[in-house]
Amino acid sequence: SSPHLVQVRERIRINGQPISKDLFNKYFWLVYNRLEETKDPVHASMPAYFRFLTIMAFHVFLQEKVDLAVVEVGIGGTYDCTNIIRAPVVCGVSSLGIDHTSILGDTMEKIAWQKGGIFKPGVPAFTVAQPERPLEVLRERAQERKCPLYLCPELDDFEEGCRALELGLAGAHQRSNAALALQLARMWLQRRGCQALGELKEVPPRTELVGRPVPLAPAFRLTDAMIQGLRDTEWLGRTQVLSHGPVTWYLDGAHTTSSIQACVRWFRQAALSQDKLHGGSEVRVLLFNATGDRDTAALLKLLVPCHFDYAVFCPNFMEVSVANNADQQNFNVTLENALTRCLENQRTWTRLLEEKVGQDPWLPSPLRVGGLLQPAPARGSLLLVPPAPRPLNSPALVFPCLAQALRWVAQGRDPHLAAPTASGAHPHPTASSGAVLLREAAVIHVLVTGSLHLVGGALRLLDPALSQ
């Protein structure tokens, strides 16, 4: 799977656990040296990062004699380097979203065409409810490739006549992922000749499915192991909640419009249920970054209704210097470029709040935008704040790295994070008044989203055990 959150070893797991450091080291050098010995000395170079890790994963699975390998594509499907498996047992396509548009295309139909590239002749494939046109594209790709394609029934159809299924992963969108996982698992078990899989039960076609181009797969009675599997599923960085005293961190690596919408639904519900447990004042903070060719303005607009008191923007770098952390270093992005993007996000957020003034009573008075934001020179602080011509009640702040952003948000109240140092304190009223509010709040809700790499960096700081 990709990307990793904290350590690269997360990408290659056996029985759910990242392979050990020793095993990773052994297979990395074995594959690296073999490729080095056999490459064409004139033209060839080593495979790029993702390709190398894909080759290495296949080698690990073969050498360790796994019964079943679950392989997630990197980007797209058709031209992805994972798409060399000629005859998988089964293929699955989850909910489509607009992402990686410079590579996959800027419409859902183009992206569906890319995803359908994993279909193989005679190999059954399953997908979940999709918009009509992208679903038709998937059907056409399946027909081209002589692949039997089915639509997964809703999870509700598996619950008929039995108690509601409990999912280890929060969020309504995980129900369609669970329905897809059940179909893929059953197909594998069937291929293995497993008995007692539970009888199939025909699902009456739902109104919205009538006339759909893809046949509906039947639901089936779930085994106890399947029910337990759904309940025990864990996946870091997706709808994850960390309660650290008065600070509750909500981590979700959503980075497309559809996944951010799902994230907002989850966060509002989760934060609301937490609020009922506490009296006193509450402060809500958004910690956001986005990378690549993503439309950050569209993503931020979806987050406005969460009623954040502060929006904090920072690059995915854990510290200003990341030289000692190769697992989370991105050599394609400079700190300057990343900070420029954060400043743009800060301006976008301010503009979105301006547009909402008058519609929502909780918003501050209008914020006038005045010029590009610059680092404030005071006392060598690296906090970036609006220049003097701007009003002083802007709730958006930029920090140069995750460590500084998290420390400011937590204000020493999270036992896993050090308090912000006095030398790092900033005389700017927004930062200072915000720090007072955060120190005095009964509860602080922090949503970290927009990038899986951002979430991974936050996890590394908030749960140091993950780095072991």
Side-chain angles (χ1 to χ4, degrees):
S1 63
S2 62
H4 61 273
L5 290 171
V6 176
Q7 298 195 73
V8 67
R9 295 183 294 111
E10 296 164 31
R11 295 175 182 237
I12 305 173
R13 298 168 184 253
I14 297 179
N15 294 334
Q17 297 303 310
I19 61 173
S20 68
K21 289 181 180 178
D22 287 346
L23 216 53
F24 186 92
N25 190 44
K26 169 187 165 182
Y27 286 122
F28 176 92
W29 288 112
L30 199 153
V31 172
Y32 185 94
N33 290 334
R34 186 65 54 85
L35 289 171
E36 188 68 43
E37 289 161 12
T38 56
K39 71 181 184 185
D40 177 341
V42 181
H43 324 83
S45 59
M46 293 296 279
Y49 182 81
F50 185 83
R51 288 189 176 194
F52 180 91
L53 289 173
T54 302
I55 295 165
M56 181 175 155
F58 286 138
H59 188 69
V60 170
F61 293 152
L62 288 165
Q63 294 301 306
E64 296 296 312
K65 298 180 170 54
V66 300
D67 301 304
L68 164 69
V70 181
V71 179
E72 182 204 24
V73 301
I75 294 176
T78 298
Y79 304 116
D80 192 79
C81 65
T82 57
N83 196 27
I84 62 166
I85 304 169
R86 294 190 184 92
V89 172
V90 62
C91 296
V93 176
S94 57
S95 267
L96 297 171
I98 297 283
D99 198 16
H100 302 294
T101 51
S102 60
I103 301 169
L104 304 181
D106 55 1
T107 67
M108 292 275 273
E109 290 81 1
K110 289 175 183 174
I111 289 168
W113 187 91
Q114 296 279 1
K115 300 285 184 185
I118 66 169
F119 297 155
K120 302 291 186 289
V123 173
F126 294 89
T127 190
V128 295
Q130 310 280 9
E132 190 173 351
R133 272 298 300 141
L135 188 62
E136 284 176 9
V137 172
L138 288 177
R139 182 202 60 179
E140 289 161 8
R141 291 286 270 160
Q143 286 176 340
E144 273 172 31
R145 293 168 168 262
K146 299 181 172 52
C147 157
L149 176 65
Y150 302 95
L151 202 59
C152 293
E154 302 285 342
L155 205 57
D156 299 3
D157 295 319
F158 291 93
E159 294 174 334
E160 282 180 13
C162 63
R163 67 181 184 278
L165 292 166
E166 187 185 333
L167 300 186
L169 298 178
H173 58 292
Q174 296 295 355
R175 290 180 68 81
S176 78
N177 289 336
L180 179 59
L182 288 171
Q183 295 289 350
L184 301 181
R186 189 178 197 282
M187 189 57 61
W188 161 249
L189 292 167
Q190 210 173 12
R191 173 70 70 88
R192 289 288 297 267
C194 293
Q195 302 302 312
L197 287 178
E199 77 262 19
L200 298 175
K201 45 186 183 183
E202 286 301 326
V203 180
R206 295 172 176 274
T207 316
E208 67 267 25
L209 293 175
V210 172
R212 281 288 176 94
V214 176
L216 191 64
F220 50 88
R221 196 174 306 284
L222 303 186
T223 64
D224 290 344
M226 289 175 171
I227 293 168
Q228 183 184 341
L230 293 178
R231 186 176 62 238
D232 294 348
T233 299
E234 293 180 356
W235 201 253
L236 298 181
R238 280 75 166 179
T239 59
Q240 183 182 0
V241 180
L242 292 176
S243 295
H244 290 181
V247 189
T248 305
W249 303 91
Y250 300 83
L251 303 124
D252 192 71
H255 50 271
T256 65
T257 51
S258 54
S259 60
I260 288 281
Q261 284 169 331
C263 171
V264 165
R265 287 192 295 271
W266 162 72
F267 172 73
R268 294 182 78 173
Q269 189 174 4
L272 193 66
S273 63
Q274 281 282 322
D275 289 344
K276 291 175 183 171
L277 305 175
H278 301 92
S281 62
E282 171 215 348
V283 176
R284 287 189 180 191
V285 181
L286 170 66
L287 177 56
F288 179 92
N289 192 40
T291 58
D293 53 8
R294 297 183 176 95
D295 182 352
T296 49
L299 303 184
L300 288 170
K301 187 171 186 177
L302 295 170
L303 289 158
V304 168
C306 289
H307 297 192
F308 292 106
D309 299 289
Y310 292 94
V312 174
F313 303 97
C314 71
N316 293 344
F317 301 123
M318 282 180 54
E319 303 279 356
V320 177
S321 168
V322 290
N324 61 346
N325 181 15
D327 273 313
Q328 290 183 307
Q329 191 161 358
N330 185 342
F331 293 97
N332 298 318
V333 180
T334 66
L335 179 60
E336 185 181 3
N337 289 344
L339 278 174
T340 301
R341 182 109 185 225
C342 292
L343 293 167
E344 289 168 0
N345 291 341
Q346 183 189 43
R347 286 187 298 179
T348 299
W349 184 256
T350 303
R351 177 176 54 77
L352 287 166
L353 292 190
E354 285 175 346
E355 290 170 1
K356 292 291 284 184
V357 167
Q359 299 172 36
D360 289 325
W362 62 271
L363 286 165
S365 55
L367 309 167
R368 295 181 303 280
V369 179
L372 183 69
L373 306 183
Q374 297 295 336
R379 296 196 294 186
S381 167
L382 284 165
L383 168 63
L384 304 181
V385 295
R390 293 184 67 160
L392 301 179
N393 62 347
S394 169
L397 301 167
V398 175
F399 291 85
C401 67
L402 254 166
Q404 289 191 26
L406 292 180
R407 285 185 201 122
W408 182 82
V409 170
Q411 286 298 318
R413 303 182 69 192
D414 182 332
H416 296 78
L417 293 170
T421 57
S423 62
H426 199 281
H428 188 275
T430 301
S432 303
S433 62
V436 172
L437 279 175
L438 290 162
R439 281 196 295 269
E440 294 179 352
V443 63
I444 303 166
H445 295 305
V446 191
L447 175 61
V448 184
T449 193
S451 161
L452 275 166
H453 302 288
L454 179 78
V455 166
L459 270 174
R460 191 180 180 103
L461 291 163
L462 295 169
D463 188 356
L466 292 174
S467 303
Q468 302 310 311

